[in-house]
Amino acid sequence: MLRFHFTSDDLARVRIAPGPDPMWEVLLSAHVVNQPSGTALFGRWRQRALSGLPPAARMLLRLAPPRGYSPDFLTPVTGSDSFETGLDAILSTPRARLRKDIELLAGEHRPHLWMRDLAAGSAPAMRGLGVAVRSYYEHAVGPYWSGIRAAVDVDRAARTRAWVEGGTENALRTLHPSVRWEHPVLSVSTAAERDIHLAGRGLLIIPSYFCVRAPITLADVDLPPVLLYPIVHEPAKLDRGFEVRSDGGGQQLTALLGRTRAAVLRVLGTGATTSEIANRLAISPASASEHATVLRNAGLIASGRERNTVIHALTPLGQTLLDGCAGQGPVAATQPATAGDPV
């Protein structure tokens, strides 16, 4: 059982990450690759990842056993969703941290000879680590990042709604079935037995695509506190999320030359259900559903089920389009479309 002990200051400093963390997704997806038989949830992706995996990437896989400890330095807290920022932070790890983390890993798994050089922070070993992380990301994670981000954005929208509807404690309570909130302790049912006293540092909550079982955290309780939780997956949509769009959705964007759909994009800034879209734009639920379907097929929004409702949220492509339109002036109507409006 993981137990996070909160003070009143900590409750005021709980925050949710703006999106998936590339370094965590690299590490957790490497765990999936290292599973002897894979997982049913990510089986097809695992086959693709293993196919043609660059030899250099196998150095990373040695640092990411499917069970037990993985080095904390592989998942630095940067406050950024940039892969390059995360990689720079890894390669800037102090030698004391490298040595400590590699020694912990070696205590559970037989170490490889090159790990001694890595623990010492030797320049060739660090360069090799950088090549390994980059080659793995570019092969196994980067090509699918848009789908990963879209799925996380939908789940994050649901967490944000829980925050708005019931405050921080409600958001914590509804994170995951394995989580229990009893003020002032957040408990997570896991095999680990650990107490983490936040002591005014707050907690960063990070939604994760490749976290497959229960929420997890860093091993070192002195590092900035984080909690990774698995997003809700819809298996039927997984392969669609792992598709690489060759045309950037360009052919389907022509369907968006309409005032009402632009308005739908605008109301999805923090996520919305179909009925909320209809209410905010004074259109019928059937029309709201139709517009959401077109936007989803164009790759501009993603949709996911939260209990008894379907929540829609912008994808990175949708946000980019919306930002571009905003730069040209208002794009949305505040009244329903009429018969003469293009849709």
Side-chain angles (χ1 to χ4, degrees):
M1 183 77 72
L2 286 176
R3 289 174 292 272
F4 292 84
H5 298 262
F6 284 72
T7 67
S8 57
D9 287 341
D10 293 311
L11 280 173
R13 294 173 182 170
V14 175
R15 58 204 187 281
I16 187 167
D21 185 303
M23 298 300 104
W24 274 106
E25 298 304 329
V26 163
L27 176 64
L28 296 175
S29 65
H31 288 172
V32 174
V33 171
N34 273 330
Q35 291 282 354
S37 57
T39 66
L41 189 62
F42 297 112
R44 295 185 67 177
W45 168 85
R46 182 175 181 269
Q47 291 176 359
R48 297 175 193 171
L50 285 170
S51 176
L53 185 70
R58 298 192 179 277
M59 179 180 180
L60 171 68
L61 296 183
R62 299 289 190 184
L63 295 171
R67 291 287 190 277
Y69 176 76
S70 292
D72 284 334
F73 70 77
L74 291 175
T75 52
V77 179
T78 64
S80 170
D81 60 359
S82 162
F83 170 78
E84 296 298 337
T85 299
L87 182 58
D88 285 346
I90 290 176
L91 299 181
S92 301
T93 303
R95 291 188 178 184
R97 166 61 58 186
L98 291 169
R99 182 171 58 254
K100 178 180 179 179
D101 288 3
I102 294 298
E103 286 176 353
L104 286 173
L105 180 65
E108 297 183 5
H109 304 276
R110 184 177 180 180
H112 291 260
L113 293 177
W114 55 263
M115 289 186 186
R116 291 184 300 200
D117 294 334
L118 187 60
S122 76
M126 294 304 289
R127 285 195 297 271
L129 176 62
V131 171
V133 174
R134 183 180 296 280
S135 61
Y136 177 86
Y137 175 83
E138 291 178 348
H139 173 76
V141 178
Y144 313 107
W145 190 250
S146 178
I148 291 170
R149 180 65 190 258
V152 168
D153 283 349
V154 170
D155 195 90
R156 185 180 181 279
R159 301 309 125 224
T160 301
R161 289 170 63 83
W163 231 297
V164 171
E165 292 170 358
T168 302
E169 296 189 49
N170 183 57
L172 293 173
R173 191 178 295 113
T174 58
L175 270 181
H176 189 267
S178 67
V179 169
R180 185 175 73 255
W181 170 255
E182 293 182 357
H183 185 87
V185 179
L186 181 73
S187 301
V188 184
S189 296
T190 69
E193 187 67 28
R194 196 181 321 153
D195 286 275
I196 302 170
H197 294 270
L198 300 179
R201 295 176 295 169
L203 181 66
L204 175 62
I205 297 173
I206 306 175
S208 172
Y209 196 90
F210 282 105
C211 188
V212 295
R213 288 182 289 274
I216 60 174
T217 189
L218 295 165
D220 191 338
V221 297
D222 292 327
L223 289 171
V226 300
L227 181 65
L228 269 284
Y229 74 89
I231 67 169
V232 176
H233 286 291
E234 295 187 41
K237 295 182 179 180
L238 278 179
D239 282 329
R240 190 187 314 163
F242 287 133
E243 290 175 357
V244 181
R245 304 182 73 91
S246 60
D247 65 351
Q251 293 180 353
Q252 296 179 348
L253 290 181
T254 56
L256 302 176
L257 300 178
R259 184 175 61 179
T260 305
R261 286 183 191 138
V264 171
L265 280 184
R266 290 193 63 174
V267 302
L268 292 181
T270 57
T273 65
T274 304
S275 60
E276 287 171 341
I277 294 172
N279 290 336
R280 293 175 190 176
L281 300 182
I283 59 178
S284 70
S287 178
S289 178
E290 178 184 352
H291 289 309
T293 298
V294 173
L295 293 169
R296 184 169 57 250
N297 289 340
L300 299 177
I301 71 170
S303 305
R305 186 167 293 278
E306 170 70 7
R307 298 177 183 172
N308 296 324
T309 60
V310 175
I311 296 178
H312 311 285
L314 294 173
T315 64
L317 178 61
Q319 186 65 60
T320 298
L321 178 66
L322 188 61
D323 291 344
C325 291
Q328 300 171 12
V331 298
T334 56
Q335 68 252 15
T338 63
D341 288 332
V343 295

